[in-house]
Amino acid sequence: MISKKTKSKTTSMAISFILPSLLPFCIFMFYPLLRTVYLSFFDWNLVSPNKKFIGFTNYVNLFKDPITFKVLINTLLYIVILVIINFIIPYVVSYILHMKISRKKDIFKSAIFLPSVISLVVGSILYLWLLNPVSGPLGIISKMLGIQIPIWTKTDGLVIVVLSLITSWKVFGYNFIILYAGIMGVDMNVIEAAIVDNVPGWKIFIDIVLPMSSATGIYVFITTIVQGLQYVFTPIKVVTQGGPNYASSNLTYQSYHEGFTLYRVGMSSAFSVLTLIIFGALLYLEYRYVEMSVYYEN
């Protein structure tokens, strides 16, 4: 039986270990969060020493503005495209590399992961040149073939796809390595038994590999959704600045745009709170419907 004195001493020791990391977390996470919620109830231009309290007006204006719904749809499209490119495809590629390719695996892994170490800003500028429909390599080749390609930075829908591809160029390798490690952790005895029973490769992947590596898969799935709201900010800022006519903006960029371009801090904070609520809802749905079915070996 542990005495109250020993328990209290243990608790104090645990707090003393946690406190050094908890204090910076509170300063740089909780305080900005509370400050953002506070500013969402004010009209402020980031310069004036006075803030005008307007209650829920920013939130009302937020949902009255048609741009908000356009940004929400854009954000959803980013998430869907990035989930396909950065979650489903690397899952399949890592399975094929692990199970079907026996030689020079390290070369393939290095080649796939290499773009992850390059700055996303550099990648955005590189792709802006490569995909330039007038003077870029793609534009020159298309002219030689007699094909006219659209100006993707000014085309609704296409701009989201290309920006997602730029982001995926940076993120794909990182997700691939994590998923590959998860698949390597699957018991080969189970897979070999299925192979002996002449189970097709695609069925092994769906019925054995996916469930038994789901703990890793769910982590990559969540981070991919986060990337849909956050990582794509860089190519938007570098290439399109949210254009044309907000066709490439998402919740994260729009929050930045409202605060540091239009100097409407209240609206920017309201966008940030809305983003937080969406994050919370996605995490709840993930825990409610996905997390419970995840396989943990131990």
Side-chain angles (χ1 to χ4, degrees), residues 1-289:
M1 187 75 179
I2 301 175
S3 65
K4 289 185 177 179
K5 185 176 181 180
T6 304
K7 189 175 180 180
S8 176
K9 185 178 179 181
T10 303
T11 303
S12 300
M13 185 178 295
I15 293 173
S16 66
F17 283 125
I18 295 172
L19 198 59
S21 59
L22 187 61
L23 283 176
F25 193 80
C26 291
I27 294 172
F28 294 106
M29 294 294 292
F30 289 129
Y31 173 73
L33 171 61
L34 296 174
R35 180 72 173 174
T36 299
V37 175
Y38 168 77
L39 289 174
S40 68
F41 298 106
F42 288 85
D43 180 17
W44 185 42
N45 64 2
L46 199 63
V47 178
S48 173
N50 300 317
K51 305 180 188 69
K52 181 182 178 182
F53 179 78
I54 56 175
F56 288 94
T57 303
N58 284 324
Y59 292 97
V60 173
N61 293 336
L62 189 70
F63 288 103
K64 282 184 177 180
D65 192 346
I67 292 174
T68 302
F69 296 97
K70 190 171 186 177
V71 168
L72 285 170
I73 293 172
N74 292 345
T75 303
L76 178 62
L77 288 174
Y78 278 122
I79 291 174
V80 170
I81 295 171
L82 289 173
V83 164
I84 293 171
I85 300 176
N86 289 334
F87 177 66
I88 297 176
I89 295 179
Y91 226 139
V92 175
V93 171
S94 57
Y95 170 73
I96 292 172
L97 183 61
H98 180 58
M99 296 298 300
K100 305 299 181 181
I101 298 176
S102 57
R103 299 178 60 187
K104 299 182 179 180
K105 288 185 179 182
D106 290 340
I107 295 176
F108 286 105
K109 286 187 285 186
S110 299
I112 293 173
F113 183 74
L114 183 61
S116 299
V117 302
I118 300 174
S119 168
L120 191 53
V121 174
V122 175
S124 299
I125 296 172
L126 177 63
Y127 270 85
L128 185 61
W129 170 69
L130 288 173
L131 302 178
N132 189 307
V134 178
S135 59
L138 184 64
I140 294 172
I141 294 172
S142 65
K143 286 179 182 178
M144 292 172 61
L145 297 174
I147 301 172
Q148 185 176 4
I149 59 175
I151 302 175
W152 62 270
T153 55
K154 296 182 179 180
T155 305
D156 286 15
L158 181 60
V159 64
I160 292 179
V161 174
V162 177
L163 291 176
S164 298
L165 290 173
I166 295 172
T167 306
S168 299
W169 178 81
K170 167 74 174 178
V171 176
F172 186 95
Y174 177 76
N175 288 359
F176 162 78
I177 290 295
I178 295 176
L179 291 169
Y180 185 83
I183 290 175
M184 286 183 64
V186 176
D187 190 351
M188 283 302 297
N189 293 326
V190 179
I191 297 176
E192 288 171 359
I195 293 173
V196 170
D197 291 337
N198 293 320
V199 177
W202 65 268
K203 198 166 181 61
I204 292 174
F205 175 69
I206 293 175
D207 293 340
I208 297 176
V209 173
L210 276 181
M212 296 187 73
S213 63
S214 56
T216 304
I218 193 61
Y219 164 76
V220 175
F221 179 73
I222 292 172
T223 56
T224 302
I225 291 177
V226 172
Q227 291 157 7
L229 297 174
Q230 183 179 7
Y231 268 40
V232 80
F233 172 88
T234 300
I236 293 175
K237 176 62 178 173
V238 172
V239 179
T240 66
Q241 293 81 47
N245 192 27
Y246 299 97
S248 63
S249 184
N250 71 347
L251 284 171
T252 305
Y253 183 82
Q254 193 62 25
S255 178
Y256 164 84
H257 178 72
E258 290 283 349
F260 298 99
T261 303
L262 303 179
Y263 296 101
R264 299 192 299 186
V265 177
M267 285 292 289
S268 172
S269 300
F271 261 108
S272 299
V273 173
L274 177 62
T275 305
L276 177 65
I277 293 171
I278 291 174
F279 263 114
L282 291 174
L283 286 174
Y284 170 78
L285 292 173
E286 179 273 329
Y287 178 78
R288 180 70 176 82
Y289 297 103

